[in-house]
């Protein structure tokens, strides 16, 4: 059982019937004295999860003996401070994962290179761009189509064509 809470994570160890706890942080959160909110948490492989967080970005979390270890994956290609707010994660194809941010669009993350490899943003002059840079969640369906919930509605993206986002109007 994995439980996330503000600033940390707890994992129930069935062998010892105890919780192992650890903190989630980043250089950005520490330098700016910001509290961390962890969401989402997505299974990566075996006993390893990928987490998104407010102010600590994308991280890999795993059990290392009797402790919890984290590996931060900073988006070195971006300068916008909102790159530290990962609000949605979804497995793509191959080694690619989608990481949605709250204010900085959506990006592909490659787990083999541990680098962000492509970024997609809202462009007011392009009706086929992402509908909004405030991504709330990301989901990849069985056919590989990526569904992106934004602050302005639902978008659909086909990673095979990589040409356009199809926007569904928001009714609010």
């Amino acid at each position: 059982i994995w439980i996330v809470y503000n600033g940390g994570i707890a994992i129930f160890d069935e062998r010892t019937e105890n919780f192992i706890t650890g903190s989630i942080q980043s250089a950005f959160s520490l330098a700016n004295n910001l509290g961390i909110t962890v969401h989402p948490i997505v299974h990566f492989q075996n006993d390893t999860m990928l987490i998104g967080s407010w102010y600590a970005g994308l991280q890999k979390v795993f059990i290392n003996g009797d402790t919890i270890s984290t590996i931060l994956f900073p988006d070195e290609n971006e300068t916008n401070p909102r790159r530290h707010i990962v609000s949605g994660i979804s497995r793509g194809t191959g080694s690619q994962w989608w990481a949605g941010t709250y204010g900085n669009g959506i990006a592909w993350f490659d787990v083999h290179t541990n680098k962000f490899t492509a970024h997609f943003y809202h462009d007011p002059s392009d009706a086929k761009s992402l509908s909004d840079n405030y991504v709330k969640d990301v989901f990849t369906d069985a056919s590989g189509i990526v569904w992106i919930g934004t602050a302005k509605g639902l978008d659909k993206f086909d990673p095979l064509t990589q040409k356009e986002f199809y926007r569904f109007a928001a009714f609010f």
Side-chain angles (χ1 to χ4, degrees):
I1 298 172
W2 293 62
I3 301 169
V4 294
Y5 53 90
N6 288 350
I9 189 162
I11 303 170
F12 184 71
D13 185 342
E14 293 178 357
R15 295 175 296 114
T16 64
E17 296 187 357
N18 291 310
F19 280 95
I20 302 169
T21 60
S23 64
I24 304 297
Q25 56 191 10
S26 70
F28 177 79
S29 67
L30 293 171
N32 293 286
N33 197 29
L34 297 168
I36 305 299
T37 300
V38 177
H39 173 79
I41 180 168
V42 179
H43 183 255
F44 175 65
Q45 65 185 20
N46 302 324
D47 290 335
T48 303
M49 301 287 180
L50 285 180
I51 64 159
S53 65
W54 282 70
Y55 309 124
L58 181 68
Q59 298 193 26
K60 189 184 291 185
V61 180
F62 55 96
I63 299 172
N64 186 7
D66 291 335
T67 62
I68 295 174
S69 294
T70 63
I71 300 171
L72 173 65
F73 300 115
D75 189 344
E76 303 293 344
N77 300 319
E78 290 294 319
T79 57
N80 185 326
R82 293 193 180 270
R83 68 187 169 147
H84 301 286
I85 304 173
V86 174
S87 52
I89 303 170
S90 183
R91 184 184 300 269
T93 57
S95 63
Q96 299 290 331
W97 285 73
W98 288 93
T101 67
Y102 200 71
N104 203 41
I106 190 166
W108 266 340
F109 177 76
D110 187 312
V111 295
H112 290 305
T113 63
N114 292 333
K115 303 242 183 255
F116 288 88
T117 59
H119 295 80
F120 303 90
Y121 309 98
H122 170 66
D123 177 352
S125 65
D126 183 358
K128 295 181 180 181
S129 71
L130 188 64
S131 66
D132 194 54
N133 285 327
Y134 290 86
V135 174
K136 295 189 173 205
D137 212 346
V138 184
F139 175 76
T140 306
D141 69 22
S143 67
I145 300 296
V146 181
W147 298 89
I148 304 113
T150 75
K152 293 199 176 165
L154 181 66
D155 290 6
K156 175 181 159 184
F157 182 76
D158 184 346
L160 294 177
T161 62
Q162 295 184 27
K163 292 189 180 193
E164 63 190 35
F165 289 83
Y166 179 80
R167 300 176 183 177
F168 295 88
F171 297 101
F172 49 89

